[in-house]
Structure formats: structure tokens, C-alpha cells
mmCIF file of all heavy atoms in Angstrom:
data_model
loop_
_atom_site.group_PDB
_atom_site.id
_atom_site.type_symbol
_atom_site.label_atom_id
_atom_site.label_comp_id
_atom_site.label_asym_id
_atom_site.label_seq_id
_atom_site.Cartn_x
_atom_site.Cartn_y
_atom_site.Cartn_z
ATOM 1 N N VAL A 16 29.517 11.011 1.879
ATOM 2 C CA VAL A 16 30.284 10.251 0.896
ATOM 3 C C VAL A 16 29.667 8.877 0.678
ATOM 4 O O VAL A 16 29.514 8.421 -0.455
ATOM 5 C CB VAL A 16 31.750 10.114 1.354
ATOM 6 C CG1 VAL A 16 32.523 9.225 0.381
ATOM 7 C CG2 VAL A 16 32.404 11.478 1.480
ATOM 8 N N LYS A 17 29.304 8.202 1.776
ATOM 9 C CA LYS A 17 28.728 6.871 1.690
ATOM 10 C C LYS A 17 27.200 6.940 1.743
ATOM 11 O O LYS A 17 26.642 7.806 2.417
ATOM 12 C CB LYS A 17 29.240 5.997 2.832
ATOM 13 C CG LYS A 17 30.732 5.724 2.767
ATOM 14 C CD LYS A 17 31.155 4.789 3.893
ATOM 15 C CE LYS A 17 32.647 4.469 3.816
ATOM 16 N NZ LYS A 17 33.058 3.551 4.913
ATOM 17 N N PRO A 18 26.513 6.032 1.038
ATOM 18 C CA PRO A 18 25.040 6.023 1.086
ATOM 19 C C PRO A 18 24.532 5.606 2.459
ATOM 20 O O PRO A 18 25.206 4.889 3.201
ATOM 21 C CB PRO A 18 24.654 4.996 0.015
ATOM 22 C CG PRO A 18 25.845 4.097 -0.078
ATOM 23 C CD PRO A 18 27.042 4.974 0.153
ATOM 24 N N ILE A 19 23.330 6.058 2.789
ATOM 25 C CA ILE A 19 22.669 5.657 4.027
ATOM 26 C C ILE A 19 21.920 4.354 3.745
ATOM 27 O O ILE A 19 21.030 4.306 2.897
ATOM 28 C CB ILE A 19 21.686 6.738 4.502
ATOM 29 C CG1 ILE A 19 22.422 8.067 4.719
ATOM 30 C CG2 ILE A 19 20.988 6.309 5.783
ATOM 31 C CD1 ILE A 19 21.493 9.232 4.978
ATOM 32 N N LYS A 20 22.284 3.293 4.471
ATOM 33 C CA LYS A 20 21.679 1.988 4.245
ATOM 34 C C LYS A 20 20.713 1.644 5.372
ATOM 35 O O LYS A 20 21.001 1.916 6.537
ATOM 36 C CB LYS A 20 22.754 0.909 4.130
ATOM 37 C CG LYS A 20 23.701 1.114 2.954
ATOM 38 C CD LYS A 20 24.723 -0.008 2.875
ATOM 39 C CE LYS A 20 25.662 0.187 1.691
ATOM 40 N NZ LYS A 20 26.654 -0.916 1.584
ATOM 41 N N SER A 21 19.595 1.067 5.015
ATOM 42 C CA SER A 21 18.611 0.666 6.014
ATOM 43 C C SER A 21 17.845 -0.554 5.517
ATOM 44 O O SER A 21 17.848 -0.867 4.327
ATOM 45 C CB SER A 21 17.641 1.818 6.322
ATOM 46 O OG SER A 21 17.037 2.305 5.141
ATOM 47 N N THR A 22 17.202 -1.236 6.444
ATOM 48 C CA THR A 22 16.400 -2.408 6.116
ATOM 49 C C THR A 22 15.069 -2.302 6.847
ATOM 50 O O THR A 22 14.881 -1.455 7.720
ATOM 51 C CB THR A 22 17.107 -3.707 6.545
ATOM 52 O OG1 THR A 22 17.349 -3.652 7.965
ATOM 53 C CG2 THR A 22 18.427 -3.880 5.823
ATOM 54 N N GLY A 23 14.144 -3.165 6.487
ATOM 55 C CA GLY A 23 12.861 -3.133 7.177
ATOM 56 C C GLY A 23 11.826 -3.982 6.478
ATOM 57 O O GLY A 23 12.146 -4.862 5.676
ATOM 58 N N SER A 24 10.560 -3.706 6.782
ATOM 59 C CA SER A 24 9.449 -4.454 6.205
ATOM 60 C C SER A 24 8.431 -3.490 5.588
ATOM 61 O O SER A 24 8.290 -2.345 6.034
ATOM 62 C CB SER A 24 8.760 -5.320 7.268
ATOM 63 O OG SER A 24 8.234 -4.513 8.307
ATOM 64 N N PHE A 25 7.745 -3.995 4.578
ATOM 65 C CA PHE A 25 6.752 -3.210 3.841
ATOM 66 C C PHE A 25 5.424 -3.953 3.879
ATOM 67 O O PHE A 25 5.373 -5.170 3.694
ATOM 68 C CB PHE A 25 7.202 -3.024 2.398
ATOM 69 C CG PHE A 25 6.163 -2.417 1.484
ATOM 70 C CD1 PHE A 25 5.984 -1.044 1.422
ATOM 71 C CD2 PHE A 25 5.365 -3.229 0.678
ATOM 72 C CE1 PHE A 25 5.027 -0.492 0.580
ATOM 73 C CE2 PHE A 25 4.409 -2.680 -0.166
ATOM 74 C CZ PHE A 25 4.243 -1.308 -0.215
ATOM 75 N N SER A 26 4.338 -3.204 4.125
ATOM 76 C CA SER A 26 2.992 -3.796 4.117
ATOM 77 C C SER A 26 2.048 -2.900 3.332
ATOM 78 O O SER A 26 2.127 -1.669 3.428
ATOM 79 C CB SER A 26 2.462 -3.973 5.546
ATOM 80 O OG SER A 26 3.299 -4.796 6.319
ATOM 81 N N TYR A 27 1.150 -3.521 2.587
ATOM 82 C CA TYR A 27 0.143 -2.786 1.819
ATOM 83 C C TYR A 27 -1.180 -3.535 1.899
ATOM 84 O O TYR A 27 -1.215 -4.777 1.903
ATOM 85 C CB TYR A 27 0.569 -2.651 0.359
ATOM 86 C CG TYR A 27 -0.580 -2.335 -0.584
ATOM 87 C CD1 TYR A 27 -1.122 -1.061 -0.634
ATOM 88 C CD2 TYR A 27 -1.127 -3.331 -1.402
ATOM 89 C CE1 TYR A 27 -2.185 -0.775 -1.489
ATOM 90 C CE2 TYR A 27 -2.180 -3.051 -2.252
ATOM 91 C CZ TYR A 27 -2.710 -1.775 -2.288
ATOM 92 O OH TYR A 27 -3.764 -1.498 -3.125
ATOM 93 N N LYS A 28 -2.270 -2.768 1.991
ATOM 94 C CA LYS A 28 -3.602 -3.358 1.948
ATOM 95 C C LYS A 28 -4.495 -2.472 1.095
ATOM 96 O O LYS A 28 -4.542 -1.258 1.269
ATOM 97 C CB LYS A 28 -4.181 -3.506 3.364
ATOM 98 C CG LYS A 28 -5.456 -4.358 3.404
ATOM 99 C CD LYS A 28 -5.822 -4.760 4.824
ATOM 100 C CE LYS A 28 -6.943 -5.787 4.847
ATOM 101 N NZ LYS A 28 -7.260 -6.238 6.217
ATOM 102 N N GLN A 29 -5.177 -3.089 0.151
ATOM 103 C CA GLN A 29 -6.056 -2.367 -0.757
ATOM 104 C C GLN A 29 -7.120 -1.581 0.020
ATOM 105 O O GLN A 29 -7.625 -2.070 1.042
ATOM 106 C CB GLN A 29 -6.719 -3.374 -1.711
ATOM 107 C CG GLN A 29 -7.367 -2.752 -2.927
ATOM 108 C CD GLN A 29 -8.053 -3.798 -3.777
ATOM 109 O OE1 GLN A 29 -8.998 -4.423 -3.312
ATOM 110 N NE2 GLN A 29 -7.558 -4.019 -4.984
ATOM 111 N N PRO A 30 -7.474 -0.339 -0.364
ATOM 112 C CA PRO A 30 -7.026 0.298 -1.595
ATOM 113 C C PRO A 30 -5.783 1.175 -1.451
ATOM 114 O O PRO A 30 -5.100 1.423 -2.444
ATOM 115 C CB PRO A 30 -8.230 1.169 -1.976
ATOM 116 C CG PRO A 30 -8.802 1.566 -0.648
ATOM 117 C CD PRO A 30 -8.613 0.383 0.256
ATOM 118 N N ASP A 31 -5.452 1.645 -0.241
ATOM 119 C CA ASP A 31 -4.376 2.639 -0.166
ATOM 120 C C ASP A 31 -3.664 2.692 1.182
ATOM 121 O O ASP A 31 -3.048 3.700 1.514
ATOM 122 C CB ASP A 31 -4.923 4.036 -0.491
ATOM 123 C CG ASP A 31 -6.152 4.392 0.323
ATOM 124 O OD1 ASP A 31 -6.432 3.687 1.305
ATOM 125 O OD2 ASP A 31 -6.844 5.369 -0.034
ATOM 126 N N ARG A 32 -3.731 1.621 1.958
ATOM 127 C CA ARG A 32 -3.053 1.628 3.258
ATOM 128 C C ARG A 32 -1.649 1.044 3.122
ATOM 129 O O ARG A 32 -1.468 -0.023 2.529
ATOM 130 C CB ARG A 32 -3.882 0.861 4.291
ATOM 131 C CG ARG A 32 -5.066 1.669 4.798
ATOM 132 C CD ARG A 32 -5.959 0.856 5.701
ATOM 133 N NE ARG A 32 -6.716 -0.130 4.942
ATOM 134 C CZ ARG A 32 -7.561 -0.980 5.489
ATOM 135 N NH1 ARG A 32 -7.740 -0.994 6.808
ATOM 136 N NH2 ARG A 32 -8.220 -1.833 4.740
ATOM 137 N N ILE A 33 -0.666 1.754 3.699
ATOM 138 C CA ILE A 33 0.745 1.416 3.493
ATOM 139 C C ILE A 33 1.510 1.577 4.794
ATOM 140 O O ILE A 33 1.237 2.490 5.575
ATOM 141 C CB ILE A 33 1.369 2.334 2.416
ATOM 142 C CG1 ILE A 33 0.627 2.183 1.090
ATOM 143 C CG2 ILE A 33 2.856 2.029 2.223
ATOM 144 C CD1 ILE A 33 0.849 3.321 0.144
ATOM 145 N N ARG A 34 2.475 0.701 5.012
ATOM 146 C CA ARG A 34 3.354 0.833 6.171
ATOM 147 C C ARG A 34 4.775 0.430 5.784
ATOM 148 O O ARG A 34 5.000 -0.641 5.226
ATOM 149 C CB ARG A 34 2.878 -0.038 7.326
ATOM 150 C CG ARG A 34 3.741 0.085 8.596
ATOM 151 C CD ARG A 34 3.346 -0.934 9.639
ATOM 152 N NE ARG A 34 4.095 -0.772 10.875
ATOM 153 C CZ ARG A 34 3.620 -0.191 11.975
ATOM 154 N NH1 ARG A 34 2.369 0.269 11.988
ATOM 155 N NH2 ARG A 34 4.367 -0.071 13.055
ATOM 156 N N TRP A 35 5.719 1.329 6.088
ATOM 157 C CA TRP A 35 7.150 1.047 5.973
ATOM 158 C C TRP A 35 7.703 1.031 7.393
ATOM 159 O O TRP A 35 7.583 2.022 8.122
ATOM 160 C CB TRP A 35 7.874 2.125 5.168
ATOM 161 C CG TRP A 35 7.466 2.232 3.735
ATOM 162 C CD1 TRP A 35 6.374 2.884 3.239
ATOM 163 C CD2 TRP A 35 8.149 1.690 2.605
ATOM 164 N NE1 TRP A 35 6.331 2.780 1.872
ATOM 165 C CE2 TRP A 35 7.412 2.047 1.457
ATOM 166 C CE3 TRP A 35 9.313 0.935 2.467
ATOM 167 C CZ2 TRP A 35 7.812 1.679 0.178
ATOM 168 C CZ3 TRP A 35 9.715 0.565 1.184
ATOM 169 C CH2 TRP A 35 8.969 0.930 0.057
ATOM 170 N N GLU A 36 8.303 -0.078 7.782
ATOM 171 C CA GLU A 36 8.876 -0.216 9.122
ATOM 172 C C GLU A 36 10.399 -0.331 8.962
ATOM 173 O O GLU A 36 10.917 -1.351 8.505
ATOM 174 C CB GLU A 36 8.334 -1.462 9.809
ATOM 175 C CG GLU A 36 8.856 -1.668 11.212
ATOM 176 C CD GLU A 36 7.942 -1.075 12.279
ATOM 177 O OE1 GLU A 36 6.755 -0.855 11.977
ATOM 178 O OE2 GLU A 36 8.416 -0.841 13.394
ATOM 179 N N TYR A 37 11.100 0.746 9.323
ATOM 180 C CA TYR A 37 12.561 0.754 9.224
ATOM 181 C C TYR A 37 13.163 0.262 10.539
ATOM 182 O O TYR A 37 12.749 0.688 11.619
ATOM 183 C CB TYR A 37 13.071 2.167 8.937
ATOM 184 C CG TYR A 37 12.776 2.662 7.543
ATOM 185 C CD1 TYR A 37 11.522 3.169 7.217
ATOM 186 C CD2 TYR A 37 13.749 2.613 6.548
ATOM 187 C CE1 TYR A 37 11.244 3.634 5.940
ATOM 188 C CE2 TYR A 37 13.482 3.059 5.263
ATOM 189 C CZ TYR A 37 12.228 3.568 4.968
ATOM 190 O OH TYR A 37 11.957 4.019 3.705
ATOM 191 N N THR A 38 14.166 -0.631 10.419
ATOM 192 C CA THR A 38 14.816 -1.176 11.608
ATOM 193 C C THR A 38 16.334 -1.038 11.464
ATOM 194 O O THR A 38 16.841 -0.604 10.428
ATOM 195 C CB THR A 38 14.446 -2.651 11.806
ATOM 196 O OG1 THR A 38 14.808 -3.391 10.622
ATOM 197 C CG2 THR A 38 12.955 -2.806 12.047
ATOM 198 N N GLY A 39 17.053 -1.428 12.495
ATOM 199 C CA GLY A 39 18.507 -1.349 12.445
ATOM 200 C C GLY A 39 18.999 0.041 12.802
ATOM 201 O O GLY A 39 18.549 0.640 13.783
ATOM 202 N N SER A 40 19.927 0.589 11.988
ATOM 203 C CA SER A 40 20.504 1.899 12.280
ATOM 204 C C SER A 40 19.471 3.013 12.161
ATOM 205 O O SER A 40 19.600 4.068 12.771
ATOM 206 C CB SER A 40 21.672 2.179 11.329
ATOM 207 O OG SER A 40 21.239 2.136 9.975
ATOM 208 N N VAL A 41 18.432 2.786 11.349
ATOM 209 C CA VAL A 41 17.341 3.751 11.203
ATOM 210 C C VAL A 41 16.096 3.147 11.840
ATOM 211 O O VAL A 41 15.626 2.094 11.413
ATOM 212 C CB VAL A 41 17.070 4.080 9.720
ATOM 213 C CG1 VAL A 41 15.886 5.028 9.597
ATOM 214 C CG2 VAL A 41 18.305 4.688 9.073
ATOM 215 N N ASN A 42 15.570 3.785 12.853
ATOM 216 C CA ASN A 42 14.367 3.296 13.534
ATOM 217 C C ASN A 42 13.223 4.271 13.243
ATOM 218 O O ASN A 42 13.163 5.362 13.815
ATOM 219 C CB ASN A 42 14.622 3.184 15.037
ATOM 220 C CG ASN A 42 13.475 2.477 15.758
ATOM 221 O OD1 ASN A 42 12.594 1.905 15.122
ATOM 222 N ND2 ASN A 42 13.485 2.529 17.069
ATOM 223 N N MET A 43 12.334 3.893 12.323
ATOM 224 C CA MET A 43 11.301 4.821 11.867
ATOM 225 C C MET A 43 10.119 4.034 11.312
ATOM 226 O O MET A 43 10.280 2.947 10.762
ATOM 227 C CB MET A 43 11.884 5.741 10.793
ATOM 228 C CG MET A 43 10.934 6.767 10.212
ATOM 229 S SD MET A 43 11.788 7.905 9.060
ATOM 230 C CE MET A 43 12.203 6.759 7.724
#
């Protein structure tokens, strides 16, 4: 019923390296 909420940090470096770091209730 309720949406899943999460927070974190995003990093990108050219040309195609990416990182999503989820913290809080979602650790991923």
C-alpha cells in the first residue's frame, strides 16, 4: 500500500562507471 522509501548517494565517473549506495532501511 505504501511506497518503499530509501536514501543514499550516487557517484558517476566518465565514461560509464556508476555507484548507487543505499542506506537506512535499505542497505544495498
Side-chain angles (χ1 to χ4, degrees):
V16 175
K17 295 183 178 180
I19 302 171
K20 298 181 179 181
S21 54
T22 59
S24 61
F25 171 83
S26 301
Y27 161 75
K28 191 167 189 177
Q29 195 183 64
D31 51 14
R32 283 174 288 179
I33 301 161
R34 182 188 184 102
W35 296 82
E36 181 94 20
Y37 289 80
T38 57
S40 59
V41 177
N42 189 11
M43 180 175 67

